[in-house]
Amino acid sequence: MPAKRDMPSTIQRSGKKAQETWGKTHDSAVEQYGEGERAHRTAFSSLKHTHEKVGDHWEPKAGGRKGPSDAQAAKKGARARNSKTPTAEGVDANATKTHLMEVARRLEIPGRSSMNKGELVEAIKKANRKATSKAR
């Protein structure tokens, strides 16, 4: 199984469901598209519909909610591949501000109480990058 050897460290540190979701999608994409970036993009796209990145790992979305995590994840096919829309890097930008505040609290982001939703997403992205870098 290519997924086992190609699995990113953030997913290796995540729960079994995140690993299975990424792995099954990755292996299916490898069969269809071949090994490489497209298989990885497809696997992450699938993962972002059920999980969100919190710190250095992926967790199921709150309340079992499913769906795209940001505007880029909602796109499909060539529109997604050719888009210049930035991703939220696994942060569930479509979640409520209350949920984003809770994630920011868990990540100990300073100044979170005065941030709007967009600022919370950016701060969580930054905290996630920092936690992932530290974990490596």
Side-chain angles (χ1 to χ4, degrees):
M1 289 298 219
K4 281 288 186 194
R5 71 170 184 270
D6 292 341
M7 190 174 288
S9 61
T10 58
I11 298 169
Q12 291 174 5
R13 288 187 293 274
S14 303
K16 184 177 180 181
K17 179 66 175 155
Q19 291 178 10
E20 288 176 353
T21 299
W22 192 90
K24 287 179 182 179
T25 306
H26 179 269
D27 288 347
S28 177
V30 167
E31 287 179 24
Q32 187 165 358
Y33 309 122
E35 190 65 57
E37 181 185 348
R38 190 169 183 187
H40 276 68
R41 279 196 323 258
T42 302
F44 272 112
S45 178
S46 176
L47 183 66
K48 288 178 183 180
H49 279 259
T50 57
H51 291 73
E52 64 182 320
K53 190 166 183 223
V54 178
D56 67 345
H57 65 282
W58 294 80
E59 296 180 359
K61 288 185 178 180
R65 189 180 75 75
K66 293 183 179 181
S69 57
D70 56 40
Q72 178 64 20
K75 296 177 183 177
K76 296 181 181 196
R79 260 184 76 221
R81 287 190 304 278
N82 299 329
S83 176
K84 301 297 182 214
T85 305
T87 71
E89 300 176 18
V91 176
D92 189 3
N94 292 332
T96 64
K97 182 177 178 184
T98 303
H99 174 72
L100 293 171
M101 287 290 285
E102 172 60 24
V103 172
R105 185 192 62 75
R106 288 176 49 207
L107 295 171
E108 300 178 356
I109 296 172
R112 62 187 172 270
S113 62
S114 63
M115 293 180 183
N116 64 34
K117 193 172 174 179
E119 291 168 333
L120 283 168
V121 169
E122 290 301 315
I124 293 168
K125 283 170 44 175
K126 183 177 177 182
N128 286 349
R129 286 192 297 262
K130 186 175 181 180
T132 298
S133 177
K134 186 177 180 181
R136 289 184 179 151

